[in-house]
Every structure is written in C-alpha cells, then in structure tokens.
C-alpha cells in the first residue's frame, strides 16, 4: 500500500462495511476497506436466511448465485404443539454468506474501493486533523498508520472502532452456536423451535440447504434466563434428545460455528453511533451499531440499509468539509428503524419471561384463530412488528402478555 491517507476508511468487510464503502466511493471520495481476515466472508457465523428484499438491497447483479435454497415458510414447534406458517407475500432464501459477502466486496471494488485483507485495526484516534488508525498488517510486528477524515466502524459485534472512540450501541449480546450437517429437513420450510429447554430467551432453528439432506442447525440463548452459560450444551441436548431435531439429525457434522447477536440499547435511543469532532468523524454501522432485529436476530438487511446511509453521509462530510453532517446519519437510520427495533426489544423482553406452557398457549392460540391468517398475510421478516402488533393486543393472548410483562418486571 503506497497511499496512507483516505477520505473514508471502512473497517470490516461484512455486508454493512462493503455497502458503506461502495456508497462512499460511488459519491466520489477516496475509500479504503480494511478486513482482518485473508478471505472476505470467512469464517461464516450466520444461518444465512435472507428475504427477497435483502437480496434486492444488496444491489448485486446476480444474487441468485449465492442462494442455496428457496424457503417457502416455517414450521414453528413449541414443546407440545406445532404451527405451519406460509407467507403469502414474501419469499426467503437460504444464502451462502461467504459467497454473498464476497460478491458485495467485488461490487465495492468495482465502484472504486481499495480493499486490503489481513489488516486488523488495533485502535482509532480522532482529532481535528483527522482520524488515525493503527493497523496490524500481514507482516509480523508491523503496524501501519493510516489516516482518514471519516472512519466507518463496520467491524461487527465486538467493534474495536466503537471501543476506541468510546461509542456504545449494544446493551448485551445473545450467545449463539450453529452446525451444518445431515438433516431430514422439511422440504423448503425453515423449522423454528421455541421453549426454555431448547433455547432459553430465543429460539433454535434448522434451515434446509441445497438439494441434499443437509441443514444449518443452531440456536441462540439469552444468558439472563438460561440455566447454562453456553449455548453448546443446549445444541448437544437438542440433537440428542429433542423429539423433532434428534429424529431428523443424521449424525454427521461438516461445519461448526459460534457467534453473538448484539441487543441494541433500550429503546435504541440511548446508544450512540456517531462521534464527530471539528475535523473528523466516526460512524458505526451493522452489528457494530446493533442494527439488528431483536425478534429474529437477523442483521444483514439492516446492515445493508444502514451501510448505504453511512457511506452517503461519510462522503458528504468529506465533500463539503462539514463533519456536522455526520449527525444526519444517526437521525436517518433511527427514523427508519427505531420503531421496529424498540418493538422487537419489547417482544424479546416478553419472550424472556415466558415458560414452556406459555409457548404452547401462544402456538395453540395462533393456530386456532384468525391471527394465523393475519400473520400469513402481513408477515414480513424484515419488519415483523407489522404482523405481531395485532398478536400482542389480541384479547385471547392478553392474559399471557400481561403475565409475562409482570414476570419480566418482577424478575428484572
Ligand atoms: C448464529 C448466527 C446466525 C445468524 N443468522 C442470520 C440470518 O439468518 N439472517 C440475518 O440477516 N442475520 C443473521 N445473523 C446476523 C448477521 O450475521 C449479522 O447481523 C451480520 O453479519 C452483520 O453484518 P456486519 O457487516 O455488520 O458485520 P459482520 O458480518 O460481522 O462483519 C464484520 C467484519 O469485520 C471484520 N473485523 C472485525 N474486527 C476487525 C478489525 N479490528 N479490523 C479489521 N476487520 C475487522 C470481521 O472479520 C468481519 O469480516 C446471524 C448471526 C449469528 C451469530
């Protein structure tokens, strides 16, 4: 690398970072994308379930090349009941995240982004003369200094950029684990498993892949309501004993991963994702900014959306020389997602207070009422509140909701 000064440096080559870099370069400013690993998209820590909308948001010419299977709906299992959900409005896809991220990075480079792999950002300092990044490179013991007017921290759930400049958007993380292996999947249907013995505070999943008898099987837990600190203990038990998972799991595991999902600060208002000085600025985007759906943990679509906003605002700050326009980033993404995230956090709180009987009541009630039709007609995996607001207010479920709320407030 010859040049060491850029208008915009984006840290992290995931979906949010690739999109932020692409949009900054598209606006005409010099842009560098730094990724700590040697290959974009690896290692994978994702179930790869994306909506049609998320694929469109990627603006890839051929997103279908990253798709391993179309998903038509979901079967939801509570301990004693099950429910088939078929969306009338939306399709979803099981995507290969390694290929997807690589295509996003290629598109960014095509737009003019300079990409550097095996570059781990150690610290970022901001000042009126710009941002200074200290970067560990491939050569052992060599630390390179890079300067930028704006840094975009797209470096995931344990963001070094956020820590360096004192930004915090995450209240705590859900712990996740996943395997890819042999599985007798419901053809074209994702399977979701809820219950405190299965995945306390969240859910477990099996996502069918390709044509073969293979699936991604995983789960997340919220440690606050879990008897065990590690999600692995639950995964092992599910694969050995769960009345559906154990029966369908074939025994062979080809890939294992662990990861974390950031929960946004309460109401998503108290967290901060922009740090601005007179001559420089830092923005956080994607998981680094906790821009995820608390109900499902999905973050790719929001990361792509907010990546565009971050790239645009970073470029505008450089082109006008007015770093104050970076504050507009925070306003813009919150305007789009605040309500959805706040609603998701409320649902997550209720879920944390539910027991297995509550889950059974919920699934049984939905399957026997007009609610099912409403969910199927209005269900939207990127904006789940559209269908779920009605659910929470439904008279048949009101006692359960009130009980869960009281339990949550009492046990908190
Ligand atoms: C088990 C699991 C399953 C999931 N399933 C889904 C799903 O089905 N659908 C969905 O939409 N979302 C899912 N998610 C969430 C999704 O994976 C994330 O929301 C998404 O990857 C966030 O994108 P990002 O670009 O913000 O961060 P990431 O994809 O995490 O990318 C961050 C990048 O930054 C790099 N990096 C980190 N630190 C540094 C540094 N110091 N210097 C340089 N580079 C650095 C990393 O190597 C990485 O490439 C899942 C998450 C987990 C854990």
């Amino acid at each position: 690398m010859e040049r060491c000064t850029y208008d915009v440096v984006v840290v992290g080559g995931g979906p949010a970072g690739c999109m932020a870099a692409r949009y900054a370069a598209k606006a005409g400013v010099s842009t560098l994308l730094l990724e700590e690993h040697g290959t974009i998209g690896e290692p994978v820590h994702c179930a790869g379930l994306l909506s049609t909308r998320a694929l469109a948001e990627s603006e890839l010419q051929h997103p279908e090349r990253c798709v391993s299977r179309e998903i038509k709906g979901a079967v939801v299992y509570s301990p004693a009941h099950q429910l088939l959900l078929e969306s009338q409005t939306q399709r979803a896809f099981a995507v290969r995240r390694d290929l997807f991220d690589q295509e996003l990075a290629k598109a960014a480079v095509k737009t003019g982004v300079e990409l550097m792999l095996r570059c781990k950002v150690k610290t970022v300092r901001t000042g009126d003369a710009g941002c200074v990044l200290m970067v560990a490179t491939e050569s052992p013991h060599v630390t390179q200094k890079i300067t930028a007017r704006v840094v975009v921290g797209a470096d995931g759930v344990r963001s070094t950029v956020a820590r360096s400049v004192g930004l915090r958007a995450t209240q705590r993380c859900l712990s996740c684990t996943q395997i890819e292996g042999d599985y007798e999947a419901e053809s074209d249907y994702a399977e979701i498993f809820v219950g405190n013995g299965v995945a306390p505070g969240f859910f477990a999943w099996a996502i069918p892949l390709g044509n073969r008898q293979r699936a991604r099987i995983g789960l997340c837990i919220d440690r606050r309501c879990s008897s065990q600190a590690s999600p692995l203990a639950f995964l092992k038990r599910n694969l050995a004993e769960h009345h559906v998972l154990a029966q369908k799991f074939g025994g062979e595991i080809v890939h294992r991963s662990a990861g974390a999902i950031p929960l946004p600060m309460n109401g998503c208002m108290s967290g901060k994702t922009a740090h601005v000085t007179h001559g420089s600025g830092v923005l956080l985007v994607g998981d680094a900014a906790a821009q995820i759906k608390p109900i499902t943990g999905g973050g790719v679509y929001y990361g792509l959306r907010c990546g565009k906003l971050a790239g645009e605002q970073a470029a505008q700050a450089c082109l006008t020389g007015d770093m104050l326009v970076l504050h507009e980033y925070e306003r813009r993404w919150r305007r789009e997602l605040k309500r959805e995230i706040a609603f998701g956090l409320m649902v997550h709180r209720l879920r944390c207070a539910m027991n297995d009987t509550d889950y059974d009541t919920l699934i049984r009630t939905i399957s026997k009422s007009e609610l099912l039709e409403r969910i199927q007609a209005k269900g939207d995996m990127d904006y789940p509140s559209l269908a779920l607001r009605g659910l929470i207010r439904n008279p048949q479920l009101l006692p359960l909701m009130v009980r869960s709320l009281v339990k949550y407030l009492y046990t908190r």
Side-chain angles (χ1 to χ4, degrees), residues 246-390:
Q247 213 176 36
K248 295 181 168 194
F249 176 53
E252 197 196 343
I253 295 176
V254 292
H255 183 259
R256 293 169 198 269
S257 65
I261 289 177
L263 279 182
M265 303 285 264
N266 277 340
C268 112
M269 285 307 286
S270 40
K272 274 201 77 185
T273 57
H275 170 84
V276 181
T277 71
H278 182 63
S280 67
V282 174
L283 301 178
L284 300 182
V285 70
D287 276 13
Q291 289 158 340
I292 61 104
K293 293 167 252 177
I295 297 176
T296 63
V300 173
Y301 171 64
Y302 288 1
L304 293 171
R305 273 294 314 138
C306 298
K308 291 181 183 178
L309 303 180
E312 277 173 8
Q313 289 308 140
Q316 205 192 334
C318 296
L319 293 170
T320 58
D322 177 8
M323 291 296 144
L324 292 177
V325 303
L326 292 174
H327 288 302
E328 190 55 27
Y329 163 69
E330 188 126 27
R331 280 192 283 272
R332 286 177 74 186
W333 83 257
R334 287 196 198 284
R335 211 161 34 227
E336 267 193 43
L337 301 179
K338 188 180 89 181
R339 260 170 68 87
E340 193 62 42
I341 292 179
F343 179 80
L345 279 174
M346 197 252 297
V347 171
H348 179 65
R349 269 179 232 131
L350 292 177
R351 168 167 66 195
C352 283
M354 281 167 64
N355 58 29
D356 285 359
T357 314
D358 295 332
Y359 279 119
D360 281 333
T361 307
L362 182 70
I363 297 299
R364 202 182 50 237
T365 311
I366 295 174
S367 53
K368 283 191 185 150
S369 68
E370 79 293 347
L371 285 170
L372 180 59
E373 220 168 281
R374 183 190 161 96
I375 291 175
Q376 301 202 126
K378 289 206 166 178
D380 185 324
M381 60 189 274
D382 297 316
Y383 298 95
S385 73
L386 290 175
L388 295 184
R389 276 182 200 278

Side-chain angles (χ1 to χ4, degrees), residues 122 124 155 157-168 284:
K122 299 285 210 181
V124 180
D155 49 343
V157 62
R158 313 218 183 276
S159 171
T160 303
V161 176
R163 217 174 30 249
S164 283
V165 299
L167 287 174
R168 184 161 171 235
L284 300 182

Side-chain angles (χ1 to χ4, degrees), residues 12 15-16 35-37 45-49 97 119 121 154-155 286-287 298-300:
E35 166 56 46
E36 66 174 321
H37 291 108
H45 314 276
C46 183
L49 195 63
R97 266 295 301 276
C119 286
V121 172
D155 49 343
D287 276 13
V300 173

